[in-house]
Amino acid sequence: QVQLVESGGGLVQAGGSLRLSCAASGRTLSSSDMGWFRQTPGKERDFVALIRSGYNTYYADSVKGRFTISGDIAKNTVYLQMNSLKPEDTAVYYCAGRQAGDSYYYLRDHRAYEYWGQGTQVTVSS
């Protein structure tokens, strides 16, 4: 049974930083595609960032240059470093995972993923 446990959300002012963590159990990062998504009330869950097999990374245009996704193989943990935060970044952030190997394009869709974390709230004040 795969489990993802998220942490690191909170309240910050615009321009500040947060680091989200996603600790995985039941499979290894090196054999997984791991993504971060975010969602606001009444809206669809949107792609934020992806790391494939613990190495190759991809980002949504809205966060490119500000957010960094990374993985620690020894700790079996994925991180999302968020810098220069804006009020429009406010959302519930979710960690998601699946077996590695699908196309990059489909991995931008939340329906591609088999398992999810519980979500962590990020609020950016103006």
Side-chain angles (χ1 to χ4, degrees):
Q1 181 82 343
V2 175
Q3 292 186 334
L4 304 178
V5 179
E6 298 169 320
S7 61
L11 173 64
V12 298
Q13 66 179 17
S17 298
L18 285 173
R19 188 179 74 159
L20 306 183
S21 299
C22 175
S25 62
R27 66 179 302 117
T28 63
L29 297 184
S30 61
S31 64
S32 301
D33 291 330
M34 302 292 295
W36 286 97
F37 291 76
R38 64 188 183 186
Q39 188 170 26
T40 55
K43 296 185 177 180
E44 190 173 271
R45 196 171 304 164
D46 290 328
F47 171 75
V48 175
L50 167 68
I51 184 165
R52 305 199 65 172
S53 300
Y55 181 71
N56 294 297
T57 59
Y58 305 87
Y59 299 92
D61 289 342
S62 60
V63 306
K64 192 172 296 183
R66 300 188 297 121
F67 291 11
T68 302
I69 188 171
S70 62
D72 186 324
I73 300 299
K75 295 182 179 179
N76 216 40
T77 299
V78 174
Y79 303 96
L80 185 68
Q81 178 67 47
M82 304 185 293
N83 299 326
S84 302
L85 282 162
K86 305 174 181 179
E88 50 262 46
D89 295 318
T90 295
V92 177
Y93 283 70
Y94 296 91
C95 178
R98 59 163 291 145
Q99 183 178 347
D102 218 327
S103 74
Y104 161 72
Y105 302 97
Y106 188 45
L107 290 168
R108 295 174 60 92
D109 190 325
H110 66 87
R111 294 172 294 180
Y113 295 86
E114 300 176 56
Y115 37 89
W116 293 83
Q118 79 285 358
T120 184
Q121 176 70 47
V122 172
T123 302
V124 184
S125 61
S126 60

